[in-house]
Structures are given as structure tokens and as C-alpha cells.
Amino acid sequence: MSAPGAIVIGASAGALEALSVLLPALPASFASPVFVVVHLPPDRKSILAEIFQAKCRIPVHEAEDKEPIMAGTIYFAPPNYHLLIETENSLALSSDEPVRYSRPSIDVLFESAADTYGPALTAIVLTGANPDGADGLRRIGLAGGTVLVQDPTEAMAPEMPLAALAACPTAQVLPLAGIASFLLGV
Amino acid sequence: MHDKIEDIEIRLLLEALFLKYHYDFRKYAAASVKRRLRQAKEAMGFETFSAMQEALLHDASMLPRLLGYLTVQVSEMFRDPSYFRAIREKVVPHLRTYPSLRLWVAGCSEGEELYSLVILFREEGLEDRTLFYATDINQDALARAEAGVFDLERIQHFTENHRQSGGHSSLSSYYSAAYGRASFDKTLRKQVVFADHSLVTDAVFAEMHLISCRNVLIYFDRELQDRAIGLFKDSLARKGFLGLGAKENLRFSGHAGAFLDFVREEKIYQRRTE
Ligand SMILES: C[S@@+](CC[C@H](N)C(=O)[O-])C[C@H]1O[C@@H](n2cnc3c(N)ncnc32)[C@H](O)[C@@H]1O
């Protein structure tokens, strides 16, 4: 039996533009759940789910605690909470301390997703100005998952992809357009 | 598949913790427990969870440290100011109609939420008729709550939250500052009972008019959440109030029918009359 798999994405500075290329490219038939952590100000409501619902062909939610995971759905971590994958059927939020100043933290999502999905996971690190996601990407690589990093020369902020590559040298480096076509093939 | 051995070891460790010390983390949200146990394992220098389990069984002094990792003490005063504003503006007018009140802060951590509510009740003139119960399973946190001392550097943020919550006194009138610490006035504790109580293993202990349990259920799996919500249901007086954390709700609970949405955006519910 092959696991259904999942996609995890982390981004910070420049996230909106990068995700606006990737997420609307996903077809209505897209089968995997997609979990996204974007660094956000902690004390304001996020409008990411609304913005992307208007642009995407698959449902977009802001993740709720213990929400069932549905195929072909995009989940954004809410501001001020970590997003974790509990099981292949359920996600969870936590108000644990920020990790490297970030809550939600990309590393926290990536680590729990690696535990749950192992080799059936595809992880993507996009533009950002801090090293969050690098540790998590390394773990996903070790667990046999597919690891992709946005080409730092193209990223609006190259620090995050560069840190991810340093921690996980086996990651494939692709421009956004290449990541989008890769996702259409999963 | 991947690392299933670790999952087995974690289950055995939690089983040992329960059988030996009666702390039951077996139905906490698994991903978060795993993350915190990995931190504990690394910090305590164990190779495996099995080694940790053996040490835990034979050395009770390990318990508080492990509990420190397993329970998350992240809090602030007037956290989510809009919640406290809703308590003040929407719940307090109902509470005023009672001659005496009981309030329960379940999972009070180091006291931030408790002091916030005591101050709010004092501002609204309800403190003297209210008995406050503050409970937690972490003894160190309870002791800190009872001491009421916070790092001074956190106070600026607390003050801002208090102001946004509609506070109409100055937070600085409730503490004295010295040596980088703010000690909250002991009169704030005169109506407070601190107690070790677990939402997982303990029972109803009094009839409440308001229960505030924020950012605790989020650490439980659904079944355990439901147990705790049942406990709240059974503890609440008719038309009593239940306030949860910003990302917690009754939607998936079997007890949802016993509650009405009172302030939906703030996760404040009211017990139905039946
Ligand atoms: C993240 S803190 C929340 C503090 C505060 N209520 C707030 O919202 O800021 C969670 C608290 O729940 C406590 N806790 C964990 N399991 C518990 C249980 N079974 N019964 C009661 N309290 C528990 C922890 O010790 C910790 O103090």
C-alpha cells in the first residue's frame, strides 16, 4: 500500500509572491494535503487563507486544532501557534515557545511531518530572511522524503533557501516555475 | 516504516510514568509530546527513551524535571486582550446578579491568567464575593503562581495587554518592583485557592460560575478533550460560563450540545439550562 503523502512548505520574507506562483498552479484534482507555514506577526489575524482561497482551485483553510486532514486541501498555520501533524488523519496546534523566534515555526511543522509521512513527504523551502526550516528539511531528507529548495538567486530573500541547502545538501534546487511543475507530477 | 521503535519506546515511557507516578500523558497530542520528550532526552543526556524509562522508574528525582518538559508553561497576563475584554463587557454583567461566585482557572500555569482575572474582578467590584480556584498538575508552576513574582521585563507587555483588555486601573498599582522582578500584591491572593488537580485523572470539586481553561485542551487528543469538557459541563452551574483558548472550541466535542455560543469569536460558551 502506498501512503497518500503530503506537501509541506515553509516561507518568510517574500512568501506571498512566491506562494502566489505555486499554490494557484495546483489543479482541482490535486490529491495531497498541503501544509504551509509562513512567518506572521503574532498579534494580528492572518488573511492568507482568504487571499489564497480566492486564487486557488482547491480548498484553503487556516488550520484548526485537531482538524481532520483532507486530501487536496491547503492548510495555513495560524499566527502565534505552531502547526504539527498528529497522524495522517489529524493535525494539531500548539502554543509551545517560539522556535528561533518564530511561532509558527517551519522546523516544528517539518519535524512532525517527517515523523508521520516519512518518504511520502515532499518539503519545499522558499524565500525568507532567516534559517527556520533548515533543520526540519534535513530531518525530512534523512527520513527519505523529497526535499526541494527555491533557487536562492531567484528568491526575494536568499537566507532561508541558503540555510536549508547548507543543512541538507542533497536538496534539489529549482526556480519557482520548476517547483510548480514538480508538484503537478506528484 | 520510519522510526517506529521510537514510537514504541515513547508509549512505554508514558505507561511507566503513569503506572509509577500516576501522571497520565498517554492521551496527550502525540506530535507535541514527542517533540518535548526529544528535547528532554537530549537535555538529560539519554541515548534512548528506554534508558530514560529505566532511570525514571528507579529515580523519583527525575520526575519534576520530566514534568517540566511535558507540561508547557507558556503564558502571559491578559493574553489575547480581546478575551478579557469580552469577559469584562459581556460575562461580568451576568455574574453581577449572583451574591457569591466561584471561578476556576484550570491549567493556571504560573498564575498569569489567574492574576489577570483577579485584577479584572477587583476592577469590576466582584473580587470580594468570588472564590477563585487555580489548578494545575505542575507543582513548580503552582508554587510560582502562589508566589506571584514575574520578571520585570515581561511587565511592559502585560501592561499593554491589560490596557487593551479595557482595564481601568494601572497595572503598576498591583505589584512592587525590585531587583528585576515584579511581586504581585498578596491581597490579590486572599480569595484564591491553589490546588493540584488534573483534568485527566481528577473529578469535579465545586460548582462554578465561570471556568477559564485556556491553551490546555490544545495539548490533549480529542478523546481527552472530551473528558475535560465533560468535567467542565458537570462543574458548571446552570447558565455558567466556559472560556477556552483562541484556537480551542467545542465543535468536535460530544458535549457541544450542553453549551451555547456566548461570545463566539472569543470561545466563550454558556452552559444550557436543560
Ligand atoms: C500553555 S499553559 C496555559 C497557561 C494559561 N492557561 C494561558 O492560557 O496562558 C498549559 C498549562 O496546563 C497545565 N496542564 C497540563 N496538563 C494538565 C492537566 N491534565 N490538568 C491540569 N492542567 C494541566 C500545564 O502544566 C500548564 O501549566
Side-chain angles (χ1 to χ4, degrees):
Chain A
M1 197 185 83
S2 82
I7 317 290
V8 287
I9 304 175
S12 188
L16 200 59
E17 293 80 353
L19 291 171
S20 296
V21 175
L22 280 192
L23 299 179
L26 300 175
S29 60
F30 197 70
S32 304
V34 181
F35 305 101
V36 190
V37 166
V38 174
H39 292 156
L40 296 163
D43 49 359
R44 251 172 291 148
K45 272 185 71 138
S46 157
I47 50 167
L48 283 174
E50 283 162 58
I51 294 177
F52 282 98
Q53 186 60 85
K55 298 184 182 190
C56 291
R57 281 171 279 181
I58 59 178
V60 182
H61 296 192
E62 183 171 280
E64 285 193 47
D65 184 44
K66 310 291 146 45
E67 182 173 353
I69 294 174
M70 316 259 257
T73 302
I74 299 171
Y75 298 92
F76 278 98
N80 215 14
Y81 288 83
H82 295 300
L83 170 62
L84 300 97
I85 311 301
E86 261 310 86
T87 66
E88 286 181 17
N89 303 314
S90 164
L91 44 81
L93 302 179
S94 107
S95 66
D96 286 16
E97 5 345 59
V99 176
R100 300 198 203 208
Y101 309 104
S102 298
R103 186 172 59 201
S105 142
I106 301 168
D107 282 334
V108 170
L109 169 67
F110 280 15
E111 181 179 337
S112 69
D115 289 341
T116 303
Y117 293 102
L121 184 68
T122 300
I124 305 166
V125 173
L126 299 174
T127 168
N130 63 73
D132 189 16
D135 282 352
L137 197 73
R138 188 178 46 79
R139 277 175 183 272
I140 291 170
L142 290 174
T146 304
V147 284
L148 308 177
V149 171
Q150 183 184 5
D151 185 344
T153 61
E154 170 205 82
M156 206 165 110
E159 288 84 350
M160 192 177 272
L162 284 173
L165 277 173
C168 185
T170 55
Q172 296 182 56
V173 180
L174 291 171
L176 280 178
I179 298 176
S181 30
F182 184 98
L183 286 180
L184 297 186
V186 299
Chain B
M1 254 188 348
H2 35 276
D3 241 358
K4 287 294 182 204
I5 296 178
E6 187 188 35
D7 291 342
I8 295 171
E9 288 183 291
I10 288 178
R11 275 179 65 177
L12 294 173
L13 174 66
L14 296 180
E15 201 64 41
L17 179 61
F18 176 64
L19 291 174
K20 173 92 200 259
Y21 301 103
H22 305 288
Y23 282 98
D24 192 355
F25 288 90
R26 295 173 301 172
K27 295 214 161 286
Y28 278 49
S32 176
V33 164
K34 186 188 276 187
R35 185 170 164 263
R36 303 190 69 84
L37 282 177
R38 281 180 180 159
Q39 291 172 350
K41 184 173 77 141
E42 189 167 319
M44 297 178 174
F46 289 105
E47 278 296 314
T48 63
F49 288 114
S50 302
M52 204 163 149
Q53 178 202 315
E54 169 158 23
L56 177 69
L57 282 173
H58 298 285
D59 176 6
S61 73
M62 240 181 85
L63 181 66
R65 238 184 124 198
L66 185 60
L67 288 179
Y69 279 98
L70 279 170
T71 61
V72 178
Q73 309 302 327
V74 177
S75 190
E76 51 191 76
M77 283 180 81
F78 298 96
R79 179 183 200 167
D80 308 316
S82 55
Y83 170 83
F84 290 90
R85 186 178 274 277
I87 297 277
R88 188 189 299 275
E89 292 174 356
K90 311 244 165 76
V91 176
V92 160
H94 288 258
L95 297 180
R96 276 191 204 295
T97 61
Y98 293 88
S100 76
L101 292 166
R102 276 176 305 276
L103 184 159
W104 178 15
V105 183
C108 67
S109 189
E110 299 178 2
E112 294 88 339
E113 185 183 349
L114 168 76
Y115 287 103
S116 308
L117 286 166
V118 176
I119 288 168
L120 191 160
F121 272 49
R122 184 176 290 187
E123 287 174 332
E124 300 301 328
L126 291 179
E127 184 196 11
D128 290 334
R129 68 173 97 156
T130 306
L131 197 52
F132 299 84
Y133 295 94
T135 64
D136 206 284
I137 54 167
N138 185 311
Q139 310 271 357
D140 293 339
L142 273 176
R144 294 229 169 95
E146 203 156 357
V149 180
F150 300 95
D151 279 344
L152 207 48
E153 56 198 33
R154 302 175 68 196
I155 294 288
Q156 191 184 352
H157 183 55
F158 294 176
T159 304
E160 178 56 23
N161 282 351
H162 174 237
R163 200 187 53 73
Q164 287 180 24
S165 78
H168 38 72
S169 59
S170 159
L171 194 66
S172 62
S173 60
Y174 301 103
Y175 63 83
S176 51
Y179 306 110
R181 282 153 192 269
S183 303
F184 277 77
D185 188 7
K186 65 174 186 300
T187 64
L188 292 169
R189 294 185 285 273
K190 69 182 192 300
Q191 303 282 81
V192 183
V193 178
F194 293 91
D196 184 347
H197 179 280
S198 170
L199 297 172
V200 181
T201 46
D202 293 323
V204 172
F205 59 91
E207 189 182 67
M208 304 293 168
H209 300 91
L210 169 60
I211 298 175
S212 192
C213 181
R214 312 195 69 219
N215 305 299
V216 184
L217 297 186
I218 207 170
Y219 291 100
F220 295 176
D221 78 3
R222 275 210 212 169
E223 186 186 327
L224 201 54
Q225 290 184 347
D226 226 35
R227 186 214 189 251
I229 293 164
L231 194 60
F232 297 149
K233 183 186 91 179
D234 295 337
S235 300
L236 278 175
R238 288 168 57 237
K239 298 193 167 185
F241 298 91
L242 170 64
L244 302 179
K247 290 289 163 191
E248 296 161 333
N249 63 65
L250 299 183
R251 210 153 52 103
F252 304 123
S253 165
H255 300 290
F259 294 91
L260 298 167
D261 279 324
F262 188 71
V263 185
R264 185 192 297 260
E265 324 75 76
E266 299 303 335
K267 311 293 159 63
I268 299 174
Y269 299 88
Q270 186 173 32
R271 179 86 165 88
R272 280 181 192 272
T273 341
E274 277 170 344

